[in-house]
Structures are given as C-alpha cells and as structure tokens.
Amino acid sequence: MLPLLERLATVLSWVTSAVARVLLLIIFGVLFLQVVLRYAFGFSLPWPEEVSRYLMVWVVMLAGSLLVRDDQLVRVDFFDHFWPQRLLGYRNAAFRLMLAAMLAVLVWKGFENALFGQRRQAVTLGISFFWIYLSVPVGAALMLFHMLVLTLRDLIRGPVDTGPSILNSEI
C-alpha cells in the first residue's frame, strides 16, 4: 500500500509543481505588463496587483505541499543523535500525526471560510472570494495527504535522512 501511496504522492506533486510554475509565470507576465504600461506609457491597469496577490497565495499554498512532501520544512534535529534510530521513526510519526490533525482543522475551517467568501467579490476582478479562499483548504489538503504518507513511511520503514543538518554537514 505504501508504494502505491508514494507513487500517487509523486504524481500529485508533479501536477502541483506544474500548476504552481504556471501560476508564477502568469504572475510574472501580469506584473511585467503592468510595469511596462505604467513606466513606458504612463497608463496602468486596475487589476494586475489584485491578480498577482491572489495567485501568489495559491502558489504559496501549493508550494507548501511540495515542501511537506519533500520533508523540507523547518525542523529541530539537534537532539536526534540521542534517540535510537527505530524510535526516531515513531517519534517523527507522532509529530507528523499532530501536524496532520492541525492540517485537518485547516482544511475544515479553510473550506468554511471559502464558503463564507462566496458572498463577496474581489473589487477589480469581479470573481467570488470563494476561489481565492479555496487556496487554503486545497493546499492544506495536499499537505495533509503528504503528511500522512510520510507518517506511514516513518512507521513502516523508520526515519529517512532527508537533508543536511548541522550534525551531518562539514563546516
């Protein structure tokens, strides 16, 4: 089951990364257009700042899920060398389950907030805030999925060294 979930996580992260990159390109294009219009022609459009702001929220939430999947979030591993290797997996799984519980609340409350946002519209874009606020539950749901896959991995295989720490690097 774990290999299937890991393959699904890989596909999901590839799609998420592609969408985040496209959104970043759109942000770049919109802001570039705004700068050229403002400084070369003395004219500016009313919507580029709003579009770029809301798309950036989507990019951050999507990229956050990629960081969770790659286990690249900030962590304190200063005392890891005092723990037996097998217990590190259980400890990491316990921490991941606590984070998963918080992410589940974020999905739930984020979706409630998105539903509340249906009644409001963005000023210059005229779209419902539902689509803007939906970035939080979507990003949190992706993070939650990846967090649960990592939890299963830690329980089944034990801890995996995912990157350099001060103890492993040469200064």
Side-chain angles (χ1 to χ4, degrees):
M1 181 167 143
L2 183 60
L4 176 68
L5 287 174
E6 287 178 327
R7 275 195 302 265
L8 179 60
T10 300
V11 169
L12 202 55
S13 66
W14 185 87
V15 171
T16 303
S17 176
V19 170
R21 290 168 194 234
V22 167
L23 293 178
L24 273 175
L25 286 173
I26 292 170
I27 292 168
F28 170 77
V30 165
L31 290 179
F32 183 77
L33 172 69
Q34 181 72 337
V35 168
V36 168
L37 287 176
R38 183 176 293 159
Y39 293 107
F41 301 104
F43 168 77
S44 64
L45 299 170
W47 52 268
E49 286 89 347
E50 197 171 45
V51 167
S52 61
R53 183 180 328 129
Y54 298 144
L55 288 181
M56 188 55 77
V57 173
W58 271 96
V59 169
V60 166
M61 292 305 292
L62 294 175
S65 72
L66 297 173
L67 290 173
V68 169
R69 184 204 184 266
D70 293 338
D71 202 15
Q72 294 298 314
L73 293 176
V74 175
R75 63 182 174 175
V76 178
D77 57 0
F78 184 71
F79 294 111
D80 282 3
H81 63 282
F82 292 119
W83 288 71
Q85 192 68 15
R86 186 63 192 159
L87 284 180
L88 274 175
Y90 293 128
R91 186 211 57 191
N92 290 348
F95 287 159
R96 291 184 201 284
L97 283 175
M98 286 186 272
L99 287 169
M102 288 189 291
L103 287 168
V105 171
L106 190 58
V107 170
W108 170 38
K109 290 298 188 180
F111 191 69
E112 279 183 359
N113 199 29
L115 290 176
F116 177 75
Q118 281 181 315
R119 296 178 271 194
R120 297 179 48 217
Q121 286 190 336
V123 176
T124 59
L125 296 175
I127 64 169
S128 170
F129 267 95
F130 172 80
W131 300 109
I132 299 162
Y133 292 164
L134 192 63
S135 63
V136 173
V138 168
L142 289 168
M143 289 180 212
L144 177 61
F145 172 75
H146 291 303
M147 192 66 71
L148 292 175
V149 171
L150 291 175
T151 302
L152 280 174
R153 184 200 68 192
D154 283 343
L155 288 173
I156 293 171
R157 295 187 192 143
V160 176
D161 185 22
T162 58
S165 71
I166 193 73
L167 297 175
N168 297 337
S169 64
E170 295 182 24
I171 299 176

